[in-house]
Amino acid sequence: MQPSVIELSIIVPTYNERDNVERVVAALDAALPGVRWEVIFVDDDSPDETFRKVCSLAQRDARVRCIRRVGRRGLASACIEGMLASCAPLLAVMDADLQHDESLLPRMLDALRSDAADLVIASRYAEGGDTGDWSAERKRMSLMAARVARWTLKTELTDPMSGFFMLRRRCFDHCVERLSGIGFKILLDILASTPEPLRILELPYRFRTRQFGESKLDPKVQLEFVWMLCDKTLGRFVPTRFIAFSAVGGIGILVHFAALWLLFKIYLLDFLVSQTGATLIAMTGNFALNNAFTYRDRRLRGWAWLRGWLSFVLICSIGAASNVGVAAYLFHSHQERWVLAALAGVLVGAVWNYAVSSVFTWSVPGRMRP
Ligand code: GDD
Ligand code: MN
């Protein structure tokens, strides 16, 4: 059998990392002498044109490859596409900002070559590891997120949120169809999606300080983390979008009562007028929240926002009517058990609103529209 041409593909997601990519290649070159490796940068069309820099490096060094994704964003999905573009038997994922210590790569590689593990995780929290000079706040948040992840995954791993790891491509191939691809946490995604138990080894390392460029971890990324955990737990039973839609609906009830109180009690308007006004305000709030969060990947803007709002209000009005209809019917036919009747009505209304708005308000571009 011929030895594989490339043994190890290192996937490096990038967004505005122009000043780092050349340093990453030099660091890999120094860290992996005698290894047949390649590096695949997956760039989401960075405004700073990181992809140009990568392409010019690739012109000089055949071990460097570039995938430029246009109109897409996301660390986890970028890693998945990078791994899919590789045919090497071993895959690694590493950040582009030199915060991950590349000198750990040979030991990670050895563990896979000697069949001591299927997946090797570089851990900041294992004995001997360190998060470097993080603020107390960031450290606390990271530890808390790791605890939640351990709890949902039922794992003992010290750093299930690490962005630095190496695994057999066979293990990736086995879970790729189940991956969520949402947010930052690609390792967590793999751990939660693998159909067979993996033999995992953690190696400690010290997280370095970023020298060039900025971190992309923002509140949106944190929300995506919650989304992914939902997807990996409750998502097996109910679509995660429906959970988010219902959570927004719950907030809508609070908005409704706040608006009603304002209109009816403070502005002393007629009850029917106040109730109608509060309903409209709550629907508009729900629409805005769903547009920004539940359907952030199909977000409507400008005129499409207005059209979407109109369709949402119409759909929810029908939803409210069916809610009341079902509840009234059950109330009379089931010995006036009002709580159950009301809950059934709310559920029917919510499912209707969700199902119909997913098709008409936030239709999948190019599929539902002629
Ligand atoms: N292609 C692509 N698309 N790459 C991205 C995107 C994106 O939308 N967002 C971030 N990246 C790249 C960055 O350019 C960098 O190479 C890497 O992903 C990590 O991004 P940072 O913004 O530096 O993240 P961090 O240092 O805050 O977070 C790191 O530590 C976390 C643990 O606390 C990452 O390694 C996370 O994966 C890890 O969970
Ligand atoms: Mn970083």
Side-chain angles (χ1 to χ4, degrees), residues 95 97-101 122-125 128-134 138 142 159 161-164 204-210 215 217:
D95 287 353
D97 52 8
L98 303 161
Q99 292 192 280
H100 294 156
D101 183 355
S123 166
R124 296 158 291 175
Y125 300 120
D130 195 345
T131 48
D133 62 354
W134 267 5
R138 169 106 204 236
S142 170
D159 200 354
M161 326 275 284
S162 176
F164 186 21
Y205 81 105
R206 183 165 206 274
F207 198 67
R208 293 199 205 117
T209 308
R210 195 188 245 280
S215 169
L217 195 110

Side-chain angles (χ1 to χ4, degrees), residues 70 235 252 256 265 349:
V70 177
H256 182 103
K265 287 289 188 191

